[in-house]
Amino acid sequence: MLSLHVMNRTASYRFTIVVPLFNERDNLPQLEKRLAAYLETAAMQPACVIFVDDGSTDGGSPLLEAMCQRHKDFYFLHFARNRGLSAALKAGFDACESPFVGYLDADLQTDPEDFDLLLPHAEKHAMVLGIRTGRKDSFSKRLISKIANHARRRIVHDTALDTGCPLKVLQTDYARRLPCLSGMHRFLPALISVMGGDYLQIPVHHHPRTAGKSKFNLKNRFWGPIRDAFGYRWYLRRWINYTIDNSQLD
């Protein structure tokens, strides 16, 4: 297995944005434009982007690679086959060498510029996550998400109001220590807390999807989160979590 936990070019940046994507070809032109513009003005400099292509099959992968050739601060990873959002997100975190790492979805329903609302708090908190205000999703999508979030909080006992918001900033040390679990992306606040970190929630903007096809369905937004919540509790009872307070290796 190829290890990504090695020094790479992201070590020369302070902030890396991880963008997992699967079959988002129609969103790539706008994604390129918005992220290229944001990197020039980001509150934390220098900043870069790692796109994690989760085995896309829509012909967008060559376009993504061409994007990264055009922009010196764009990088990509490509999965041989689709492995899911948690795997793509974790791969991006593991490949990051900058001290801070962000997460943004490729559908651009949240603004890259809103990272600037989160970054001023990143030094003091292990994770800063957005809370979507005025959500522009359909009524059924919002209702299902609300019910699933309520069930998750009852099972997991976290206080996060919107774990599904795809705008987050983490201290990279915490991001790398996250377990590579299916559904991991749904429990980032709870996992950060278990590791001894804290999180801060900040309101951010939200927009309707304008291109590409939503991956939302009842299975992955209702039954999936509830199933994963029980799986999380099972895993938590078996997770060996340790902290080294002294070493002669350095």
Side-chain angles (χ1 to χ4, degrees):
M1 179 183 293
L2 175 64
S3 173
L4 293 172
H5 192 63
V6 295
M7 193 67 73
N8 58 47
R9 280 179 284 179
T10 63
S12 61
Y13 298 87
R14 287 199 69 215
F15 179 48
T16 300
I17 301 170
V18 173
V19 183
L21 55 92
F22 175 67
N23 290 350
E24 293 285 0
R25 175 175 178 161
D26 293 341
N27 268 313
L28 292 181
Q30 186 67 7
L31 195 62
E32 177 181 10
K33 179 180 178 181
R34 292 284 301 277
L35 284 170
Y38 174 69
L39 291 184
E40 294 182 0
T41 63
M44 187 175 285
Q45 293 285 344
C48 68
V49 181
I50 298 177
F51 298 95
V52 184
D53 186 344
D54 187 17
S56 293
T57 57
D58 64 348
S61 299
L63 301 180
L64 177 63
E65 294 179 23
M67 278 171 47
C68 294
Q69 291 292 327
R70 286 192 292 270
H71 300 276
K72 65 180 179 61
D73 301 317
F74 282 11
Y75 305 96
F76 73 88
L77 303 173
H78 184 269
F79 281 6
R81 53 188 288 247
N82 179 253
R83 303 304 297 173
L85 176 57
S86 288
L89 191 59
K90 180 59 173 165
F93 288 167
D94 287 348
C96 176
E97 294 285 344
S98 60
F100 299 95
V101 59
Y103 161 38
L104 177 75
D105 267 357
D107 59 18
L108 285 175
Q109 288 192 254
T110 47
D111 295 324
E113 295 80 8
D114 277 0
F115 276 123
D116 288 355
L117 300 175
L118 311 185
L119 285 168
H121 309 280
E123 296 271 5
K124 295 182 179 180
H125 302 278
M127 180 171 70
V128 188
L129 62 155
I131 304 172
R132 291 168 288 186
T133 57
R135 283 187 64 178
K136 300 303 188 291
D137 293 321
S138 66
F139 173 77
S140 61
K141 186 174 182 179
R142 285 185 282 116
L143 178 62
I144 291 172
S145 293
K146 184 175 182 179
I147 295 171
N149 269 324
H150 178 73
R152 189 207 75 253
R153 287 194 296 268
R154 290 288 299 271
I155 298 168
V156 175
H157 306 300
D158 70 19
T159 59
L161 299 176
D162 187 11
T163 60
C165 179
L167 195 76
K168 298 177 174 70
V169 173
L170 298 89
Q171 295 176 6
T172 302
D173 178 61
Y174 282 94
R176 280 184 173 162
R177 289 162 53 199
L178 289 165
C180 193
L181 296 171
S182 177
M184 174 268 293
H185 64 281
R186 298 186 176 108
F187 306 105
L188 292 180
L191 289 165
I192 290 293
S193 296
V194 170
M195 290 189 290
D198 67 336
Y199 57 88
L200 179 68
Q201 304 177 80
I202 301 287
V204 297
H205 301 93
H206 190 249
H207 307 283
R209 177 185 273 270
T210 58
K213 185 177 180 181
S214 173
K215 313 305 185 294
F216 178 91
N217 58 57
L218 190 62
K219 179 180 178 182
N220 65 23
R221 289 298 188 273
F222 183 73
W223 296 117
I226 293 175
R227 175 204 63 202
D228 289 345
F230 284 107
Y232 167 83
R233 288 185 60 175
W234 178 92
Y235 175 81
L236 195 61
R237 291 194 295 270
R238 293 158 178 81
W239 186 10
I240 299 174
N241 186 36
Y242 63 88
T243 302
I244 297 173
D245 66 359
N246 196 11
S247 170
Q248 288 183 307
L249 289 173
D250 296 331

